Amino acid sequence: MPSTAIRNIHYDRSRRVLSVWFVPTGKRYDYEDVGPEVYTAFKTAFSKGQFFNEFVRDRFRYHLVEHEDRH
């Protein structure tokens, strides 16, 4: 998943939460009530940054995850 803007994404189907880690800051944001079809399309998008800007940014409620559990 090489991208200059998006470092990683993860989707929790049971909670419908899309987690996105950004390259410039390394910060993670969780986007709420995201349908599985959005995640699937995001995962396979040629340009992760462009997909994020067009289909995720400003479309879902989100919050910064301050402290993560490291596995």
Side-chain angles (χ1 to χ4, degrees):
M1 180 181 136
S3 172
T4 58
I6 308 295
R7 187 177 83 193
N8 196 14
I9 61 173
H10 177 266
Y11 185 64
D12 182 333
R13 285 186 185 274
S14 64
R15 294 176 42 229
R16 294 175 55 99
V17 171
L18 174 67
S19 299
V20 180
W21 288 261
F22 293 91
V23 169
T25 63
K27 292 183 179 180
R28 170 185 159 193
Y29 288 83
D30 281 357
Y31 293 82
E32 302 172 10
D33 201 27
V34 177
E37 68 284 350
V38 173
Y39 169 67
T40 300
F42 194 4
K43 187 170 62 168
T44 60
F46 178 75
S47 170
K48 304 297 188 258
Q50 183 177 350
F51 184 92
F52 175 82
N53 287 333
E54 192 170 338
F55 297 104
V56 179
R57 176 177 292 199
D58 299 328
R59 294 180 180 258
F60 298 96
R61 191 174 182 182
Y62 68 92
H63 66 275
L64 171 65
V65 177
E66 293 288 343
H67 301 285
E68 291 187 61
D69 292 333
R70 301 271 180 196
H71 298 281

